[in-house]
Amino acid sequence: MNWKEGLRQTGVPAALGAALLFGAGTPLAKWLLDAVNPWMLAGLLYLGSGVGLTLYRLLSQAPAIRLPRNEVPWFAGAIVAGGIIGPVLLMFGLTGMPASGASLLLNAESVFTALLAWFAFKENFDRRIALGMLAIVVGAVVLSVPSGVRISGLWPSLAILGTCFAWGVDNNLTRMVSLTDATWIASVKGLVSGIVNLGLAFSLGASMPALPDLAGAMIVGLLAYGVSLTLFVVGLRHLGTARTGAYFSVAPFFGALLAVLMGEPITIPLLMAGALMALGTWLHLTERHEHGHKHEEMEHSHEHVHDEHHLHAHDYPVTPGTKHSHRHRHEPLIHTHPHFPDVHHRHSH
């Protein structure tokens, strides 16, 4: 597969779009930190995500979502791990170490995401994917190591690594519910995380900022956390967890590019990180995973078009190539074609 074919895969532009928005949110948040308490800003960013997407769903008259009962524990676990435990550990770690050291350690999220996907959730990978992941992570590390970086204290460092592990768990659990409407998933996670983080901020004595700063934080949160998470879920749906996490790991590079456009200098680490991340992304884009595999009988509901995996009949006419959503059954099928570890390809190797 060439890189142009890779970019045409639905999950790839979604994952890269998620990274772009999330990465751009970092320098924009720096502007807001001059006027908003860091703890309060964290809560407002998440709350802006949840409130904004909830309003979008109401205005667009999105259908009500009822999560399948067997997926509720996965989603609850994702919210607890990524929305509650992760931020609490992050705040504890940040109180005891420099921001530069925390930024370096936070790159471990993509590593934990991939390792959990590969070894705990049995997602397939090969040498090419592992090398691509390594190149992207090394690029993120190069980008995150300013001169004089310090990582001081064992417990703060462990807390930051705990945050990364919690977010890695969150990413893998969210994949288990990724067929559900992505805007609904992101809105619920945003609301819960926002309420929790605001509660932490108020408990530490923080107060609400002025209205312009409040609005700015909510808008940045909607884009960098809400829309970004929505696109991330789409990536999970089509690419699996490890590959989506790898593409998302280029977020620091997008943030650094925006910082350059905002006046910061171009540096050697930025150029080195860009080259490494470009190499890793190319390795992923040019992946070709193809072998004979068996689809077991499965019944679920999600948006789809009629293709080789969706050959069911309807009681009403459906225009070929039209996306539609309903509960449908997959009959057992054995065939060979290039594929990713998406929701229809979770077979063992």
Side-chain angles (χ1 to χ4, degrees), residues 167-189:
W167 285 345
V169 171
D170 174 17
N171 293 337
N172 279 276
L173 295 182
T174 299
R175 181 208 177 183
M176 306 301 289
V177 300
S178 61
L179 283 182
T180 302
D181 188 290
T183 59
W184 181 85
I185 291 175
S187 65
V188 172
K189 292 180 74 173

Side-chain angles (χ1 to χ4, degrees), residues 322-344:
T322 302
K323 288 186 177 181
H324 55 289
S325 180
H326 61 87
R327 193 158 191 85
H328 56 277
R329 180 184 299 275
H330 294 269
E331 299 297 335
L333 174 66
I334 299 177
H335 62 176
T336 300
H337 67 95
H339 58 279
F340 293 102
D342 58 24
V343 292
H344 295 105

Side-chain angles (χ1 to χ4, degrees), residues 5-339:
E5 291 176 339
L7 280 174
R8 285 196 288 267
Q9 299 293 328
T10 302
V12 173
L16 291 174
L20 173 61
L21 289 172
F22 185 79
T26 301
L28 293 175
K30 286 183 179 180
W31 277 357
L32 294 166
L33 281 172
D34 291 335
V36 185
N37 176 279
W39 293 72
M40 179 61 64
L41 180 58
L44 291 174
L45 290 171
Y46 278 102
L47 192 64
S49 162
V51 171
L53 288 175
T54 299
L55 289 176
Y56 164 78
R57 290 182 54 78
L58 290 173
L59 293 174
S60 63
Q61 298 181 331
I65 298 298
R66 185 172 183 177
L67 198 66
R69 183 175 299 179
N70 65 315
E71 294 182 4
V72 171
W74 299 116
F75 191 42
I79 292 175
V80 171
I84 299 176
I85 296 177
V88 169
L89 289 173
L90 176 60
M91 296 304 171
F92 174 77
L94 286 174
T95 59
M97 69 184 307
S100 57
S103 297
L104 171 59
L105 287 176
L106 281 172
N107 286 306
E109 177 190 350
S110 59
V111 178
F112 282 128
T113 296
L115 292 177
L116 286 168
W118 293 339
F119 298 109
F121 291 86
K122 308 303 181 183
E123 191 171 294
N124 72 279
F125 71 99
D126 55 26
R127 183 181 301 175
R128 188 183 194 85
I129 291 300
L131 288 174
M133 182 72 196
L134 178 62
I136 291 172
V137 171
V138 172
V141 170
V142 168
L143 191 64
S144 302
V145 183
S147 58
V149 66
R150 294 184 299 110
I151 300 179
S152 57
L154 175 62
W155 291 113
S157 299
L158 290 177
I160 297 293
L161 290 175
T163 298
C164 295
F165 182 78
W167 285 345
V169 171
D170 174 17
N171 293 337
N172 279 276
L173 295 182
T174 299
R175 181 208 177 183
M176 306 301 289
V177 300
S178 61
L179 283 182
T180 302
D181 188 290
T183 59
W184 181 85
I185 291 175
S187 65
V188 172
K189 292 180 74 173
L191 287 173
V192 173
S193 300
I195 291 171
V196 170
N197 285 325
L198 283 178
L200 289 170
F202 283 125
S203 69
L204 293 173
S207 57
M208 278 290 182
L211 184 58
D213 299 313
L214 173 64
M218 298 281 278
I219 292 172
V220 171
L222 171 60
L223 296 174
Y225 290 82
V227 179
S228 176
L229 178 57
T230 300
L231 292 172
F232 188 84
V233 172
V234 174
L236 290 174
R237 184 182 302 164
H238 292 278
L239 301 177
T241 312
R243 289 162 178 80
T244 303
Y247 286 120
F248 190 76
S249 295
V250 304
F253 183 70
F254 287 137
L257 283 181
L258 180 58
V260 168
L261 294 176
M262 294 167 62
E264 293 191 7
I266 297 177
T267 63
I268 296 299
L270 176 61
L271 296 176
M272 291 175 59
L276 285 165
M277 289 180 173
L279 172 62
T281 302
W282 175 79
L283 286 170
H284 280 251
L285 287 175
T286 53
E287 172 196 11
R288 186 178 182 88
H289 182 76
E290 181 175 1
H291 60 88
H293 56 276
K294 179 180 181 180
H295 293 267
E296 302 292 346
E297 183 176 338
M298 177 192 305
E299 184 173 337
H300 58 190
S301 176
H302 66 94
E303 188 177 63
H304 61 278
V305 296
H306 285 175
D307 55 20
E308 60 184 326
H309 296 100
H310 298 89
L311 302 175
H312 50 267
H314 288 262
D315 296 330
Y316 50 88
V318 175
T319 304
T322 302
K323 288 186 177 181
H324 55 289
S325 180
H326 61 87
R327 193 158 191 85
H328 56 277
R329 180 184 299 275
H330 294 269
E331 299 297 335
L333 174 66
I334 299 177
H335 62 176
T336 300
H337 67 95
H339 58 279

